[in-house]
Amino acid sequence: MDPRYARNVPALSEAECELLRRKRVLVVGCGGLGGHLIDMLARIGIGFLRVVDGDAFEPSNLNRQLLSEVSLLGVGKAQTAAERVRRVNPNVAVHAVGEFLTEENAAALLTDCDAVLDGLDNIQSRQILANACERAGIPLIYGAVNGWVAQAAISCPGDHLIDLLYPDGAALKNKSVLSFTPALCASMQVSLCVKFLTDRPVRTGTLYFFDLLNQEFEVIPMT
């Protein structure tokens, strides 16, 4: 092990754990990325989670979505996510919203939240969420996956990271996702979220790009 990490100290101090218990986080999307995000946030002890998704599980979700299983086909994703949180960590308060993100409900969904995590699967919704975070002055922790590739970043107000990443609003065609790619992306997103919420240094406006097929990792300044 690298000697820089071989210290006999906890990964998070008691004070940091207590700080996380006082934080409120919004996760938009409870599918491939969102399921992993919600599970990790619950296990690390975020005090309040608002989970948002208007969709229900279908057979095509079973290959990659942590919360999906055959017995839950047709069941709402937000409802399932909330039930998962209660089973994993009953000390976490959770509010399930079975709606899709829209221009009309975005501001209300962000109310009283300290950070927002992107578990979405389309550019248009990400732009709505990014604009709402900009107006509310709340950081957006972005994540996206396709096949073997994942990317993540934390965007603070003024960064306009989503506009830089998707200047023409174009969406990928023939998008496919493997089971392990969302788990990696969500891990990076949650690590950025925890660092931000515990006042640890974090690079904003920087894209973390993972190519799992070629085992390559890049750090790309965007702002």
Side-chain angles (χ1 to χ4, degrees):
M1 177 180 288
D2 189 318
R4 291 175 298 171
Y5 307 106
R7 300 175 298 165
N8 187 25
V9 295
L12 289 171
S13 68
E14 289 187 17
E16 287 174 320
C17 290
E18 178 57 35
L19 187 58
L20 292 176
R21 282 192 286 270
R22 300 198 299 268
K23 297 299 183 180
R24 300 170 62 90
V25 171
L26 169 66
V27 180
V28 184
C30 302
L33 267 180
H36 286 285
L37 293 170
I38 293 161
D39 188 77
M40 293 175 191
L41 292 166
R43 292 180 191 277
I44 208 162
I46 298 296
F48 173 86
L49 293 175
R50 179 174 293 129
V51 298
V52 179
D53 201 316
D55 203 3
F57 290 112
E58 56 188 59
S60 63
N61 301 148
L62 293 170
N63 75 313
R64 68 191 185 280
Q65 297 194 10
L66 178 68
L67 303 181
S68 66
E69 53 187 75
V70 172
S71 65
L72 293 174
L73 296 180
V75 177
K77 294 182 180 181
Q79 171 193 336
T80 300
E83 291 171 357
R84 171 84 169 211
V85 170
R86 295 183 186 109
R87 292 195 304 271
V88 166
N89 189 347
N91 294 317
V92 175
V94 58
H95 174 210
V97 180
E99 303 175 5
F100 290 109
L101 175 77
T102 66
E103 294 277 8
E104 291 71 30
N105 67 13
L109 292 174
L110 269 67
T111 301
D112 296 328
C113 288
D114 299 295
V116 176
L117 278 84
D118 167 14
L120 294 162
D121 62 359
N122 66 88
I123 307 308
Q124 292 74 23
S125 294
R126 284 199 174 98
Q127 290 172 325
I128 292 172
L129 186 59
N131 292 337
C133 288
E134 180 75 21
R135 291 190 294 268
I138 299 172
L140 171 64
I141 297 143
Y142 157 81
V145 295
N146 186 41
W148 296 76
V149 172
Q151 55 188 30
I154 179 168
S155 177
C156 287
D159 289 345
H160 302 292
L161 183 67
I162 300 301
D163 292 335
L164 294 172
L165 289 171
Y166 306 103
D168 58 0
L172 288 172
K173 295 181 180 180
N174 302 321
K175 186 175 179 180
S176 63
V177 182
L178 300 168
S179 61
F180 45 80
T181 313
L184 173 66
C185 187
S187 295
M188 189 66 190
Q189 288 179 267
V190 173
S191 72
L192 291 169
C193 181
V194 169
K195 288 175 66 177
F196 173 80
L197 293 177
T198 56
D199 299 318
R200 294 193 179 209
V202 62
R203 294 184 189 179
T204 64
T206 299
L207 184 70
Y208 299 93
F209 180 86
F210 304 84
D211 179 347
L212 294 174
L213 182 60
N214 297 300
Q215 299 298 304
E216 294 177 350
F217 170 61
E218 295 182 63
V219 180
I220 307 169
M222 297 293 296
T223 59

